[in-house]
Amino acid sequence: MNRPDIVIVGGGIAGASLGGVLAETARVLILEMEDSAGYHATGRSVAFWEETYGGPVVQPLTTASGALLESPDPDFFDGSFLSPRRTLHIGRAGDEGLRDALLADFAGAVELQPVDPASLVPGLRPDWVLGVLEPSCRDIDVAALHQAYLRRFRKLGGEMRLGARLEHAERQGDGWRIETGDGPIECGLLVNAAGAWADDVAVACGVAPVGITPYRRTVVQLRLEDMPADEMPLVMDMQGGFYFKPEGQGRIWLTPHDEVASPPCDAAPEELAIAQAIDRFQAAVDWRIAAVERKWAGLRSFAPDRVPVYGFEPAVEGFFWFAGQGGFGIQTAPAAALLGASLLTGGAVPQAIASLDIAAYAPERFR
């Protein structure tokens, strides 16, 4: 592609979804430093769509994405990316304040129902007496979503270069000159969708970082001797000590909800985090563990205020932030991509995201 209009750095769910929208009206090139797109955070998701996850500022992005994930354009994907799950938030005596805050923070925005948690989780230990059910929670087919965006991107004429790391970029005339291991690229606009590497990419482009920090999250797959049906809800500790969800009959995905600051890297699980996860799980339910079958870790990248960063860098012309999606980048991808494309092109805001407070995500808040 000779001088694309837009170069997107990063081929995970952020870059793929944005590219899939932008390619309708622009010549777009995605640079992905790995040999396969979505290798890092996108490929390591626990794969759920939950409206309360990420807090009240993120919730409108998640909610707006729900309908787009449930009923996508049939030319984009034949079927839904979502399947039923539900979330059960659980707590012990003394967690009433956390329960009440959850109910208050999302009142009128998300359906939440106080419940007896034992009625929904057979084998729940008796000290877990508080429960709030979030019926809208769904599982996401992350791989299908990511691949569907990439197919759409290519069908519309977009180009992706794998194994292409941005080494340096500088503003020249009315655009950018980007240096990669495969040679230079010139473009009009440069989008930073580099996930854990977002601040590093900014510095390489002569842009001040905004403080996006990667945090490691550990996940383990357990095979259980006797687990209730796969239709059980995702179970979340109100104190943020763990969550787990069924992943096929007799198996669960479990995390200690760890957040350990990390340099951008190919994250690996640590044995201490795995031990903490299992200990907290056994303190919640009496299910017997037959085996630890898999374990992995991924990086979740947050801005200092834990809100995504979408918009043009005010200090450097033609540089666009599309980063800081934390652990909710997949569940917010459809709405975020529409928002990012609207901001990049100056086009009308689509009806699906018309109610979003765009200023809440703007990089100006850090300048």
Side-chain angles (χ1 to χ4, degrees):
M1 183 180 289
N2 296 323
R3 201 181 192 279
D5 302 315
I6 302 169
V7 166
I8 299 174
V9 182
I13 192 64
S17 59
L18 183 59
V21 177
L22 288 171
E24 294 179 5
T25 57
R27 291 161 51 82
V28 185
L29 171 66
I30 294 178
L31 297 181
E32 168 54 53
M33 69 178 182
E34 301 293 351
D35 293 332
S36 61
Y39 175 75
H40 291 284
T42 300
R44 307 181 194 196
S45 168
V46 181
F48 58 80
W49 176 88
E50 185 191 84
E51 291 180 277
T52 61
Y53 203 63
V57 181
V58 174
Q59 173 265 315
L61 280 168
T62 304
T63 299
S65 294
L68 302 171
L69 290 166
E70 185 68 58
S71 302
D73 183 339
D75 290 336
F76 173 40
F77 188 75
D78 184 16
S80 174
F81 294 107
L82 303 180
S83 56
R85 176 55 60 197
R86 302 177 298 165
T87 297
L88 177 65
H89 304 268
I90 62 172
R92 296 182 171 103
D95 291 338
E96 289 84 0
L98 296 173
R99 177 200 59 194
D100 295 345
L102 176 66
L103 295 170
D105 284 346
F106 298 96
V110 180
E111 180 185 358
L112 296 170
Q113 306 168 357
V115 294
D116 173 11
S119 66
L120 295 170
V121 182
L124 187 68
R125 298 197 184 276
D127 51 329
W128 296 92
V129 294
L130 304 176
V132 174
L133 183 66
E134 187 172 343
S136 62
C137 177
R138 299 287 187 267
D139 285 343
I140 302 178
D141 189 336
V142 175
L145 179 65
H146 185 228
Q147 289 304 311
Y149 271 122
L150 291 178
R151 283 195 304 272
R152 177 182 176 87
F153 174 68
R154 294 187 179 103
K155 181 179 179 181
L156 293 170
E159 179 185 337
M160 174 177 283
R161 295 187 189 176
L162 299 173
R165 180 187 293 269
L166 182 148
E167 297 176 350
H168 174 73
E170 60 182 17
R171 186 78 182 166
Q172 289 190 350
D174 61 350
W176 289 87
R177 180 182 172 89
I178 302 169
E179 300 294 340
T180 76
D182 294 332
I185 300 168
E186 294 185 352
C187 66
L189 299 174
L190 178 56
V191 176
N192 183 0
W197 284 261
D199 268 4
D200 289 354
V201 165
V203 171
C205 297
V207 176
V210 297
I212 291 176
T213 302
Y215 294 89
R216 188 181 67 245
R217 169 64 49 85
T218 304
V219 185
V220 58
Q221 177 174 299
L222 302 179
R223 178 165 53 84
L224 305 173
E225 292 184 5
D226 49 356
M227 191 189 89
D230 182 47
E231 292 75 22
M232 276 187 44
L234 163 71
V235 177
M236 281 199 162
D237 173 19
M238 291 180 187
Q239 289 194 5
F242 63 86
Y243 61 79
F244 60 85
K245 75 164 191 171
E247 187 60 27
Q249 185 59 43
R251 288 170 173 79
I252 66 157
W253 283 356
L254 164 71
T255 173
H257 218 173
D258 51 332
E259 287 191 353
V260 180
S262 168
C265 65
D266 185 0
E270 294 194 353
E271 293 303 319
L272 176 59
I274 294 168
Q276 288 175 332
I278 292 173
D279 181 66
R280 294 169 188 179
F281 174 73
Q282 292 179 320
V285 293
D286 63 7
W287 306 341
R288 294 190 299 273
I289 298 172
V292 175
E293 293 189 324
R294 292 175 56 208
K295 49 191 176 183
W296 67 94
L299 297 180
R300 301 148 43 88
S301 302
F302 289 95
D305 59 3
R306 302 180 74 85
V307 174
V309 188
Y310 302 140
F312 280 106
E313 165 59 45
V316 179
E317 186 178 358
F319 185 93
F320 190 89
W321 290 92
F322 199 68
Q325 291 95 338
F328 33 81
I330 295 167
Q331 69 175 30
T332 60
L338 292 176
L339 173 59
S342 175
L343 293 171
L344 268 163
T345 64
V349 176
Q351 183 60 38
I353 60 168
S355 63
L356 294 180
D357 177 11
I358 295 174
Y361 312 110
E364 283 88 349
R365 68 190 193 271
F366 300 113
R367 302 307 189 201

